[in-house]
Amino acid sequence: MSAGTQIKRIIIVGATSGIGRKMAELYAAAGNIVGITGRRKELLDEIESMYPGKIKTECFDVTKNENIERLTVLIQKIGGLDILVYSSGIGELSKELDWEIDKRTVDTNVYGFIEICNWAFNYFTKQGHGSMAVISSVGANRGNSWVPSYSASKAFQSNYFEALAIKAKRMKKDIGIICIEPGFVDTKMVKGYKRFWVVPLEKAARQIIAGIQKRKQKVYISKRWWLIARLMRATPFWLYKKIG
């Protein structure tokens, strides 16, 4: 970390793999103090051992009933909170409209998400400053028959964060509200789906961190996915239903 750069206290919810893990590693390597969460304790311990003193952990499942209690403990471990990132997510193909997939997706991407982000917004309101980010998806822009609950849950996340951004401005609060909408990133998410314009994991994580630092309300990963999002919204249903 360069001289004069302030150390941040950051929590990443869902950081045992993929984008969340890479962000935690980059933040810690830059000298920040990072709290990470996840369901797999062995992976949390592995990451913590790689960055002693820089990464602290708390093992819990966002679909259960202890989110706020565990986050409060993690804040104590890292000595405060400046940035919270909600990276926990599920995206599984559901060709036959599988109820178990839909339920897991909504429990994680909607219920777990809104409980934690509602709490974080109020935490930062009382504190007087802070930033929040969610790893949503370009898929939030339209329904998708291959992953119906995923696209719907991501639309929920993106709309909720847009509403929070408006609320923060009306309340005149110094809270950054950043909605990240990646296209395809080189992770295991949405296995088996035909992919294009795949963004390397580290490049995606660095672009997300830059977007959070700049407090952009909407960040596309990579930037050209903005065009796809716009095309998705503009395509009439009679045409979109042939590909969606």
Side-chain angles (χ1 to χ4, degrees):
M1 180 169 290
S2 61
T5 301
Q6 185 179 3
I7 293 174
K8 298 292 185 182
R9 312 281 171 167
I10 303 155
I11 287 179
I12 302 176
V13 179
T16 54
S17 63
I19 292 172
R21 174 167 180 162
K22 181 55 66 174
M23 289 180 66
E25 292 173 351
L26 292 174
Y27 270 131
N32 298 288
I33 308 300
V34 186
I36 62 174
T37 83
R39 293 179 292 108
R40 294 171 287 182
K41 188 175 187 304
E42 69 279 5
L43 292 179
L44 292 172
D45 292 343
E46 173 189 303
I47 301 167
E48 185 175 22
S49 68
M50 294 168 59
Y51 298 91
K54 294 298 182 183
I55 289 184
K56 303 293 183 181
T57 69
E58 195 67 21
C59 184
F60 65 95
D61 184 338
V62 299
T63 68
K64 306 303 180 182
N65 299 315
E66 52 187 6
N67 291 334
I68 307 312
E69 177 185 347
R70 292 299 189 92
L71 285 173
T72 300
V73 170
L74 190 53
I75 288 174
Q76 293 172 349
K77 287 183 179 181
I78 66 174
L81 182 62
D82 300 302
I83 300 170
L84 182 135
V85 180
Y86 193 89
S87 181
S88 184
I90 291 178
E92 298 181 40
L93 291 175
S94 184
K95 295 180 181 180
E96 305 301 327
L97 199 61
D98 187 305
W99 166 240
E100 290 303 319
I101 291 176
D102 278 2
K103 186 177 187 305
R104 286 197 303 271
T105 302
V106 171
D107 285 348
T108 302
N109 297 2
V110 177
Y111 290 123
F113 157 79
I114 197 172
E115 181 184 17
I116 289 171
C117 291
N118 178 288
W119 171 84
F121 184 88
N122 287 304
Y123 178 94
F124 288 136
T125 297
K126 293 175 183 177
Q127 178 171 271
H129 64 87
S131 292
M132 300 167 52
V134 62
I135 311 300
S136 181
S137 170
V138 167
N141 290 276
R142 292 296 291 263
N144 188 310
S145 66
W146 297 95
V147 283
S149 57
Y150 176 77
S151 58
S153 67
K154 291 302 179 179
F156 183 94
Q157 292 181 349
S158 292
N159 286 339
Y160 191 74
F161 258 51
E162 182 175 62
L164 292 187
I166 296 169
K167 185 177 290 291
K169 284 180 170 39
R170 287 183 174 171
M171 294 172 65
K172 297 181 180 180
K173 297 296 183 179
D174 181 25
I175 306 173
I177 308 292
I178 304 99
C179 179
I180 313 295
E181 291 191 0
F184 292 121
V185 178
D186 192 16
T187 69
K188 295 180 180 179
M189 184 71 78
V190 193
K191 301 177 289 292
Y193 200 83
K194 293 181 179 179
R195 305 189 299 172
F196 62 97
W197 285 359
V198 179
V199 183
L201 179 58
E202 182 163 338
K203 178 180 179 180
R206 290 189 181 278
Q207 288 185 354
I208 292 169
I209 289 172
I212 293 173
Q213 184 176 355
K214 294 175 182 176
R215 285 188 163 194
K216 292 185 175 182
Q217 195 277 317
K218 182 68 70 69
V219 179
Y220 295 98
I221 306 298
S222 62
K223 293 179 181 179
R224 61 184 175 178
W225 277 92
W226 166 84
L227 175 61
I228 298 298
R230 186 168 183 177
L231 287 173
M232 290 172 71
R233 292 192 298 269
T235 302
F237 179 72
W238 66 265
L239 178 59
Y240 180 76
K241 69 180 181 180
K242 297 179 179 181
I243 58 174

